[in-house]
Amino acid sequence: MKLIRLYARVLSLLRRQARLAWFLTVANLALAGAQFAEPVLFGRVIDTLTGSGGQAGEGVWAHLVMLLILWVGFGLFNIGCSTLVALYADRLAHQERHAVLADYFEHLLELPMSYHGDVHSGRLMKIMLEGTDSLWGLWVGFFRDHLAAFVSFFFLLPLSLFMNWRLAVLLMFLCVVFAALTVFVMRKTEELQASVNEHYSELAERASDTLGNIALVHSFARIDAEVSGLKHVIDKLLAAQIPVLSWWALISVLTRASTTLTILTIIIVGAVLHFQGLATVGEIVTFMAFANMLIQRLQDVVSFTNRIFTETPRLEEFFNVLDTIPALRDLPNAVDPGRMQGHVEFRNVSFSYDGKRPAVLDVDVTIKPGETIALVGQTGAGKSTALALLHRSFDPQSGAILIDGVDLRDIQLVALRRNIGVVFQEGLLFNRSIADNLRLGKPDATDEELRDAAARAQALDFIERSPAGFDSRVGERGRKLSGGERQRLSIARALLKDPPILILDEATSALDAKTESQVMAALDEAMKGRTTFVIAHRLATIRKADRILMFSGGKIIEAGSFDELVARNGAFAELARAQYLAPSLTADQVNEAPGAAEPEAAKTT
């Protein structure tokens, strides 16, 4: 029943091409009925010849000519119908394969970052390619072989019973034996086949992981170790695969043996019945052809069962991804507010990744349009999570985040992210041209706008030095560029987007001191008139921020300007002194610091 339900779902994906699918189904029904004409007509010819007593009478010739004309007619019909089925089955399968692949890819992109953090990209690619390949093969097989094979039984068995029920019993017995053997082999190999597919997924993950970190492999001289690890996975895969192949090979051997045994049995039983006057020579010949056809159809059924059985783990993985419901979806009444002003409010926002330890806890802060807010704190303090919530990579488990007075959950995701620009700590680039990467934020940007954004991000010089300029490809993940060049392109991309809210996640961390000062000057200009959030570990880059939020344990423990926080002599001042951005204080100065409570002063000292 599991295989039947899975196969039904595979076929249900053809509903977009329902008209063509029904045409192919009707054509297969016609073919299944017409293919039995040849053995029946052949038997009639034999009976006509044996019944003539060796005399070529006029009636005999007329009967033979009529039978031969019918034979030719059915043959031409089979050829024409088979050609149409083969042609349109391929066309249908290819079209639907690409359509489903595009649907899967779109669905994959809609899944949240948390999902992609848990599932390796190599596995997802393997599932996509193998899943659509499996669908294509099953669709083509269904219309070319499987449907005709199954329908044949509904024609063959009643027809054989009508012609000679005694010989038909032999064919039915053969069907029962095949069905029992197939079920037996399926039960023996089901668990093994699931293990085989898991090893294939592990193989894809490992190969993708290694190729994605080729610099690491070379720098640590791990070529032999990585190849050895891959071979170990292959060995496990073969250890699981070979027993499966052996069981299905047994079915193939039994099929060939049964062909000979069935034909011999029909000849012997047919001869006995003929001498008793219960079967004609033509009927014996017809049933011999029926037996060959039945064996062939049973082989098709076994092949189909083997195919669907082999593909089941891949298809289950494919459908499991398709059935994954995105954690973030637009509400039915979600709105597109257009360009927003950038008034941001965090109202007692809390969030936890595992439901145990809070990543953000009771964050309550209001940011006015145009303010520059810096978020500082130790790694894991909650800075990035807070801004991920603003970008709606996740939804808070309690509290709410509002922009211009509207809850993020009431804003369409596309509209929200159109209003927010992000420059990540790592310069994320596609393996496309520089112009294509810059236009991600503004697809209709002119060449002049590209040049202006690149110039403001201090990127124009190295772009113009490239042989193809803005048409130069950057390589996989931008590997043809230096870290600083990648980061400057990321900043240019955000400037080109011109969002009312800008997030800078360690945006200058990959730049040298000279370039950093140039880019910071450009960012100072770009931040005017927009709400900007800056995550920074180097406090020198945030001295001009309107407010600094000091995070610890997911909470905001201090807030104020740079000078205010240094004067307060709390956790931020300690961090500033560690980076030589504030003078060291004596114990007396600590106690006299404004706003410094006695216990806090003791703790700082």
Side-chain angles (χ1 to χ4, degrees):
M1 292 302 296
K2 175 182 172 182
L3 292 181
I4 293 173
R5 285 195 300 270
L6 184 66
Y7 195 53
R9 182 167 185 184
V10 169
L11 297 180
S12 71
L13 295 176
L14 298 173
R15 57 183 175 272
R16 280 178 291 203
Q17 297 275 358
R19 183 176 299 179
L20 181 54
W22 278 112
F23 165 76
L24 292 170
T25 300
V26 172
N28 269 279
L29 292 173
L31 275 174
Q35 66 182 337
F36 295 107
E38 183 174 341
V40 172
L41 290 171
F42 186 42
R44 294 289 185 265
V45 168
I46 296 295
D47 282 340
T48 300
L49 293 175
T50 56
S52 65
Q55 302 296 321
E58 202 172 302
V60 173
W61 276 111
H63 194 213
L64 283 175
V65 168
M66 182 187 69
L67 291 173
L68 292 175
I69 291 174
L70 288 173
W71 198 333
V72 171
F74 277 108
L76 293 175
F77 174 80
N78 285 338
I79 292 171
C81 202
S82 298
T83 302
L84 287 175
V85 166
L87 176 64
Y88 285 100
D90 268 350
R91 183 175 300 180
L92 173 64
H94 277 290
Q95 289 175 343
E96 281 305 298
R97 177 196 180 195
H98 295 137
V100 171
L101 188 147
D103 290 343
Y104 175 96
F105 188 68
E106 180 182 4
H107 177 75
L108 210 56
L109 295 180
E110 290 175 346
L111 294 175
M113 289 298 298
S114 57
Y115 179 87
H116 290 281
D118 291 336
V119 185
H120 195 282
S121 59
R123 176 183 286 262
L124 293 174
M125 283 293 296
K126 175 254 183 190
I127 291 172
M128 179 175 73
L129 297 176
E130 289 190 350
T132 51
D133 278 347
S134 297
L135 291 172
W136 175 84
L138 290 175
W139 288 331
V140 170
F142 175 77
F143 289 116
R144 282 189 172 183
D145 303 309
H146 305 160
L147 181 57
F150 286 115
V151 172
S152 294
F153 293 111
F154 293 98
F155 281 98
L156 176 59
L157 296 179
L159 181 60
S160 61
L161 284 169
F162 175 77
M163 293 183 64
N164 192 310
W165 68 267
R166 297 172 181 85
L167 292 174
V169 170
L170 294 175
L171 300 181
M172 292 181 182
F173 177 74
L174 184 62
C175 290
V176 172
V177 171
F178 259 86
L181 285 173
T182 303
V183 171
F184 174 76
V185 171
M186 285 172 60
R187 289 180 176 175
K188 283 288 186 181
T189 57
E190 183 174 8
E191 197 170 311
L192 288 172
Q193 187 58 43
S195 175
V196 168
N197 196 63
E198 183 58 33
H199 291 317
Y200 271 117
S201 294
E202 185 182 350
L203 185 67
E205 278 187 27
R206 190 176 188 96
S208 176
D209 205 32
T210 302
L211 292 174
N213 293 282
I214 192 68
L216 187 65
V217 173
H218 285 178
S219 63
F220 282 86
R222 283 196 55 84
I223 294 178
D224 290 341
E226 292 301 320
V227 172
S228 176
L230 193 72
K231 287 181 177 178
H232 178 65
V233 176
I234 292 172
D235 289 340
K236 291 193 296 182
L237 190 156
L238 289 174
Q241 182 76 79
I242 289 174
V244 176
L245 298 176
S246 300
W247 278 108
W248 287 104
L250 175 63
I251 288 284
S252 179
V253 171
L254 293 175
T255 300
R256 290 185 175 87
S258 63
T259 303
T260 303
L261 292 174
T262 302
I263 296 297
L264 288 174
T265 304
I266 286 176
I267 292 174
I268 294 169
V269 174
V272 172
L273 294 174
H274 176 67
F275 292 134
Q276 296 177 356
L278 299 175
T280 66
V281 175
E283 287 176 343
I284 296 173
V285 172
T286 298
F287 270 84
M288 290 173 64
F290 279 175
N292 278 319
M293 292 179 65
L294 182 62
I295 295 293
Q296 182 181 351
R297 289 309 184 193
L298 287 171
Q299 286 177 324
D300 290 340
V301 170
V302 170
S303 175
F304 156 73
T305 306
N306 184 17
R307 178 71 181 269
I308 187 71
F309 183 74
T310 302
E311 304 292 359
T312 290
R314 299 173 184 173
L315 291 171
E316 285 181 334
E317 279 189 325
F318 185 83
F319 288 130
N320 283 340
V321 175
L322 279 183
D323 292 339
T324 301
I325 300 174
L328 300 175
R329 309 182 79 175
D330 286 337
L331 296 175
N333 58 346
V335 298
D336 181 353
R339 184 176 177 86
M340 309 183 82
Q341 295 179 4
H343 186 277
V344 179
E345 296 178 74
F346 283 75
R347 294 183 178 175
N348 298 314
V349 172
S350 295
F351 176 80
S352 172
Y353 290 100
D354 56 10
K356 300 176 181 177
R357 185 172 62 89
V360 169
L361 182 62
D362 294 330
V363 171
D364 194 281
V365 64
T366 299
I367 298 97
K368 297 176 182 178
E371 275 195 293
T372 297
I373 305 298
L375 288 75
V376 300
Q378 299 297 327
T379 301
K383 312 180 298 295
S384 296
T385 301
L387 294 188
L389 291 169
L390 173 62
H391 196 245
R392 212 182 165 205
S393 296
F394 318 96
D395 278 336
Q397 276 120 16
S398 64
I401 303 175
L402 294 82
I403 299 180
D404 296 351
V406 183
D407 193 312
L408 297 190
R409 288 165 286 202
D410 295 324
I411 302 173
Q412 293 176 7
L413 270 170
V414 172
L416 171 67
R417 290 169 182 172
R418 199 165 48 231
N419 279 279
I420 300 177
V422 183
V423 179
F424 298 97
Q425 185 173 4
E426 177 188 359
L428 303 176
L429 299 172
F430 288 120
N431 184 18
R432 301 170 192 170
S433 70
I434 291 175
D436 287 339
N437 276 286
L438 293 182
R439 285 194 172 103
L440 291 177
K442 190 177 181 182
D444 58 348
T446 64
D447 291 345
E448 191 58 36
E449 288 175 319
L450 292 184
R451 291 179 59 83
D452 178 63
R456 292 167 65 193
Q458 308 297 317
L460 189 58
D461 288 345
F462 80 80
I463 293 174
E464 291 184 334
R465 287 198 303 268
S466 301
F470 281 89
D471 293 326
S472 301
R473 295 181 73 88
V474 302
E476 185 180 0
R477 299 182 182 178
R479 285 177 180 163
K480 290 185 178 181
L481 305 176
S482 69
E485 289 170 343
R486 289 197 297 270
Q487 198 69 328
R488 279 179 276 173
L489 286 184
S490 298
I491 294 170
R493 183 170 58 200
L495 294 174
L496 187 65
K497 184 178 181 180
D498 189 29
I501 299 173
L502 184 63
I503 296 174
L504 306 176
D505 186 355
E506 286 286 345
T508 61
S509 62
L511 306 180
D512 57 73
K514 180 181 178 181
T515 305
E516 180 183 38
S517 64
Q518 294 173 331
V519 172
M520 286 304 300
L523 287 176
D524 286 342
E525 181 65 26
M527 289 187 288
K528 289 180 180 178
R530 77 182 82 241
T531 306
T532 306
F533 295 88
V534 183
I535 295 178
H537 289 289
R538 287 190 294 185
L539 302 186
T541 63
I542 58 169
R543 297 197 73 142
K544 297 180 182 179
D546 296 310
R547 266 188 295 167
I548 298 172
L549 306 180
M550 181 73 185
F551 276 76
S552 179
K555 294 181 178 181
I556 298 176
I557 59 171
E558 293 180 349
S561 68
F562 189 96
D563 292 337
E564 289 172 349
L565 293 180
V566 170
R568 194 173 299 171
N569 195 37
F572 180 82
E574 184 178 349
L575 190 62
R577 285 194 293 273
Q579 297 186 22
Y580 305 104
L581 296 176
S584 298
L585 303 180
T586 65
D588 292 338
Q589 288 174 317
V590 169
N591 292 330
E592 293 173 2
E598 191 68 32
E600 183 65 27
K603 184 191 297 185
T604 304
T605 303

